[in-house]
Amino acid sequence: MSAQTTYLAYDYPLLSVFWSMLVFFLWIMWFVLLFRIVTDIFRDDALSGWAKAGWLVFTVLLPFLGVFVYVIARGRNMGRRETEHARAQREAFDTYVREAAGGKGRPSSVDELSRLSEIRARGDITDEEFSRAKDLILTGHGPAGGPDSATRATASGR
């Protein structure tokens, strides 16, 4: 009969625990680097489709060598491409927020007042009509169509 060996926690030295944790951490970091390189390959618009396929095959079939060669050959611009991607995402988000907060194309009171003053400068409305339309716009009781419909309403009283 063979004796069965039982390993307990105190049989595993502390230095071996640290070494195992370091190896595990480096293994995880290598996977993170591999995934960043794969996303960088697809993100780069300067590469042709064949170049992307070649780099992808190289990093998948020979992962350690492919990752190291990619970092040496193209690593300098990885940060620039990621920064450009983040900037484009931020600009798209800012544009979306501006459009969503803008009221779906309804002009603001500042736009309405500037158009109203242009109409008065052309001489299409009198000063009295301008002040009535301006009061309507500033109090928020003006027509939803903007200053043109407000001026038409005041001009029809002429």
Side-chain angles (χ1 to χ4, degrees), residues 103-118:
K104 304 285 185 202
R106 185 170 182 262
S108 67
S109 59
V110 174
D111 295 333
E112 291 178 4
L113 287 173
S114 67
R115 279 190 265 151
L116 191 61
S117 63
E118 288 174 11

PDB file of all heavy atoms in Angstrom, residues 103-118:
ATOM      1  N   GLY A 103     -34.275  70.818 -26.532  1.00  0.00           N
ATOM      2  CA  GLY A 103     -35.716  70.935 -26.712  1.00  0.00           C
ATOM      3  C   GLY A 103     -36.187  70.502 -28.082  1.00  0.00           C
ATOM      4  O   GLY A 103     -37.189  70.977 -28.570  1.00  0.00           O
ATOM      5  N   LYS A 104     -35.476  69.615 -28.724  1.00  0.00           N
ATOM      6  CA  LYS A 104     -35.889  69.042 -30.011  1.00  0.00           C
ATOM      7  C   LYS A 104     -36.088  70.094 -31.094  1.00  0.00           C
ATOM      8  O   LYS A 104     -37.091  70.129 -31.775  1.00  0.00           O
ATOM      9  CB  LYS A 104     -37.168  68.229 -29.852  1.00  0.00           C
ATOM     10  CG  LYS A 104     -37.064  67.136 -28.825  1.00  0.00           C
ATOM     11  CD  LYS A 104     -36.276  65.994 -29.339  1.00  0.00           C
ATOM     12  CE  LYS A 104     -36.315  64.868 -28.317  1.00  0.00           C
ATOM     13  NZ  LYS A 104     -35.296  63.949 -28.406  1.00  0.00           N
ATOM     14  N   GLY A 105     -35.161  71.019 -31.220  1.00  0.00           N
ATOM     15  CA  GLY A 105     -35.191  71.964 -32.321  1.00  0.00           C
ATOM     16  C   GLY A 105     -35.978  73.226 -32.049  1.00  0.00           C
ATOM     17  O   GLY A 105     -36.050  74.092 -32.908  1.00  0.00           O
ATOM     18  N   ARG A 106     -36.605  73.360 -30.907  1.00  0.00           N
ATOM     19  CA  ARG A 106     -37.343  74.581 -30.596  1.00  0.00           C
ATOM     20  C   ARG A 106     -36.331  75.671 -30.288  1.00  0.00           C
ATOM     21  O   ARG A 106     -35.442  75.485 -29.478  1.00  0.00           O
ATOM     22  CB  ARG A 106     -38.256  74.358 -29.393  1.00  0.00           C
ATOM     23  CG  ARG A 106     -39.123  75.556 -29.117  1.00  0.00           C
ATOM     24  CD  ARG A 106     -40.178  75.227 -28.081  1.00  0.00           C
ATOM     25  NE  ARG A 106     -41.022  76.376 -27.882  1.00  0.00           N
ATOM     26  CZ  ARG A 106     -40.866  77.235 -26.886  1.00  0.00           C
ATOM     27  NH1 ARG A 106     -39.896  77.065 -26.032  1.00  0.00           N
ATOM     28  NH2 ARG A 106     -41.671  78.257 -26.763  1.00  0.00           N
ATOM     29  N   PRO A 107     -36.446  76.833 -30.933  1.00  0.00           N
ATOM     30  CA  PRO A 107     -35.460  77.884 -30.709  1.00  0.00           C
ATOM     31  C   PRO A 107     -35.568  78.447 -29.293  1.00  0.00           C
ATOM     32  O   PRO A 107     -36.643  78.504 -28.708  1.00  0.00           O
ATOM     33  CB  PRO A 107     -35.805  78.945 -31.759  1.00  0.00           C
ATOM     34  CG  PRO A 107     -37.223  78.675 -32.128  1.00  0.00           C
ATOM     35  CD  PRO A 107     -37.447  77.211 -31.916  1.00  0.00           C
ATOM     36  N   SER A 108     -34.429  78.866 -28.761  1.00  0.00           N
ATOM     37  CA  SER A 108     -34.428  79.451 -27.421  1.00  0.00           C
ATOM     38  C   SER A 108     -34.927  80.894 -27.490  1.00  0.00           C
ATOM     39  O   SER A 108     -35.072  81.475 -28.560  1.00  0.00           O
ATOM     40  CB  SER A 108     -33.018  79.423 -26.843  1.00  0.00           C
ATOM     41  OG  SER A 108     -32.182  80.298 -27.565  1.00  0.00           O
ATOM     42  N   SER A 109     -35.191  81.454 -26.323  1.00  0.00           N
ATOM     43  CA  SER A 109     -35.698  82.833 -26.288  1.00  0.00           C
ATOM     44  C   SER A 109     -34.654  83.813 -26.815  1.00  0.00           C
ATOM     45  O   SER A 109     -35.007  84.840 -27.393  1.00  0.00           O
ATOM     46  CB  SER A 109     -36.130  83.201 -24.873  1.00  0.00           C
ATOM     47  OG  SER A 109     -35.053  83.069 -23.979  1.00  0.00           O
ATOM     48  N   VAL A 110     -33.384  83.498 -26.642  1.00  0.00           N
ATOM     49  CA  VAL A 110     -32.328  84.376 -27.177  1.00  0.00           C
ATOM     50  C   VAL A 110     -32.384  84.391 -28.700  1.00  0.00           C
ATOM     51  O   VAL A 110     -32.280  85.460 -29.327  1.00  0.00           O
ATOM     52  CB  VAL A 110     -30.943  83.905 -26.677  1.00  0.00           C
ATOM     53  CG1 VAL A 110     -29.833  84.690 -27.335  1.00  0.00           C
ATOM     54  CG2 VAL A 110     -30.855  83.990 -25.168  1.00  0.00           C
ATOM     55  N   ASP A 111     -32.571  83.207 -29.307  1.00  0.00           N
ATOM     56  CA  ASP A 111     -32.694  83.144 -30.771  1.00  0.00           C
ATOM     57  C   ASP A 111     -33.921  83.905 -31.251  1.00  0.00           C
ATOM     58  O   ASP A 111     -33.869  84.616 -32.258  1.00  0.00           O
ATOM     59  CB  ASP A 111     -32.775  81.682 -31.232  1.00  0.00           C
ATOM     60  CG  ASP A 111     -31.509  80.908 -30.944  1.00  0.00           C
ATOM     61  OD1 ASP A 111     -30.432  81.534 -30.885  1.00  0.00           O
ATOM     62  OD2 ASP A 111     -31.607  79.677 -30.774  1.00  0.00           O
ATOM     63  N   GLU A 112     -35.017  83.737 -30.528  1.00  0.00           N
ATOM     64  CA  GLU A 112     -36.245  84.433 -30.918  1.00  0.00           C
ATOM     65  C   GLU A 112     -36.087  85.947 -30.804  1.00  0.00           C
ATOM     66  O   GLU A 112     -36.535  86.691 -31.682  1.00  0.00           O
ATOM     67  CB  GLU A 112     -37.415  83.964 -30.051  1.00  0.00           C
ATOM     68  CG  GLU A 112     -37.819  82.538 -30.322  1.00  0.00           C
ATOM     69  CD  GLU A 112     -38.953  82.077 -29.428  1.00  0.00           C
ATOM     70  OE1 GLU A 112     -39.478  82.892 -28.644  1.00  0.00           O
ATOM     71  OE2 GLU A 112     -39.330  80.906 -29.521  1.00  0.00           O
ATOM     72  N   LEU A 113     -35.429  86.409 -29.751  1.00  0.00           N
ATOM     73  CA  LEU A 113     -35.227  87.853 -29.584  1.00  0.00           C
ATOM     74  C   LEU A 113     -34.299  88.410 -30.657  1.00  0.00           C
ATOM     75  O   LEU A 113     -34.519  89.527 -31.150  1.00  0.00           O
ATOM     76  CB  LEU A 113     -34.673  88.160 -28.193  1.00  0.00           C
ATOM     77  CG  LEU A 113     -35.667  88.024 -27.039  1.00  0.00           C
ATOM     78  CD1 LEU A 113     -34.949  88.200 -25.709  1.00  0.00           C
ATOM     79  CD2 LEU A 113     -36.784  89.034 -27.177  1.00  0.00           C
ATOM     80  N   SER A 114     -33.271  87.657 -31.020  1.00  0.00           N
ATOM     81  CA  SER A 114     -32.368  88.165 -32.058  1.00  0.00           C
ATOM     82  C   SER A 114     -33.078  88.250 -33.406  1.00  0.00           C
ATOM     83  O   SER A 114     -32.909  89.223 -34.142  1.00  0.00           O
ATOM     84  CB  SER A 114     -31.121  87.283 -32.159  1.00  0.00           C
ATOM     85  OG  SER A 114     -31.460  85.998 -32.630  1.00  0.00           O
ATOM     86  N   ARG A 115     -33.920  87.248 -33.724  1.00  0.00           N
ATOM     87  CA  ARG A 115     -34.668  87.326 -34.981  1.00  0.00           C
ATOM     88  C   ARG A 115     -35.693  88.455 -34.938  1.00  0.00           C
ATOM     89  O   ARG A 115     -35.928  89.125 -35.938  1.00  0.00           O
ATOM     90  CB  ARG A 115     -35.357  85.993 -35.263  1.00  0.00           C
ATOM     91  CG  ARG A 115     -34.383  85.004 -35.880  1.00  0.00           C
ATOM     92  CD  ARG A 115     -35.085  83.788 -36.380  1.00  0.00           C
ATOM     93  NE  ARG A 115     -35.008  82.796 -35.303  1.00  0.00           N
ATOM     94  CZ  ARG A 115     -35.890  81.839 -35.083  1.00  0.00           C
ATOM     95  NH1 ARG A 115     -36.925  81.727 -35.861  1.00  0.00           N
ATOM     96  NH2 ARG A 115     -35.735  81.001 -34.106  1.00  0.00           N
ATOM     97  N   LEU A 116     -36.278  88.664 -33.781  1.00  0.00           N
ATOM     98  CA  LEU A 116     -37.257  89.745 -33.631  1.00  0.00           C
ATOM     99  C   LEU A 116     -36.593  91.108 -33.839  1.00  0.00           C
ATOM    100  O   LEU A 116     -37.148  91.988 -34.491  1.00  0.00           O
ATOM    101  CB  LEU A 116     -37.909  89.657 -32.252  1.00  0.00           C
ATOM    102  CG  LEU A 116     -39.125  90.527 -32.002  1.00  0.00           C
ATOM    103  CD1 LEU A 116     -40.242  90.151 -32.962  1.00  0.00           C
ATOM    104  CD2 LEU A 116     -39.581  90.373 -30.569  1.00  0.00           C
ATOM    105  N   SER A 117     -35.380  91.281 -33.304  1.00  0.00           N
ATOM    106  CA  SER A 117     -34.688  92.560 -33.491  1.00  0.00           C
ATOM    107  C   SER A 117     -34.263  92.751 -34.945  1.00  0.00           C
ATOM    108  O   SER A 117     -34.234  93.879 -35.450  1.00  0.00           O
ATOM    109  CB  SER A 117     -33.489  92.662 -32.557  1.00  0.00           C
ATOM    110  OG  SER A 117     -32.556  91.672 -32.863  1.00  0.00           O
ATOM    111  N   GLU A 118     -33.951  91.669 -35.651  1.00  0.00           N
ATOM    112  CA  GLU A 118     -33.639  91.775 -37.079  1.00  0.00           C
ATOM    113  C   GLU A 118     -34.871  92.226 -37.860  1.00  0.00           C
ATOM    114  O   GLU A 118     -34.762  93.046 -38.785  1.00  0.00           O
ATOM    115  CB  GLU A 118     -33.145  90.430 -37.613  1.00  0.00           C
ATOM    116  CG  GLU A 118     -31.765  90.041 -37.154  1.00  0.00           C
ATOM    117  CD  GLU A 118     -31.390  88.634 -37.605  1.00  0.00           C
ATOM    118  OE1 GLU A 118     -32.118  88.052 -38.438  1.00  0.00           O
ATOM    119  OE2 GLU A 118     -30.381  88.120 -37.108  1.00  0.00           O
TER     120      GLU A 118
END
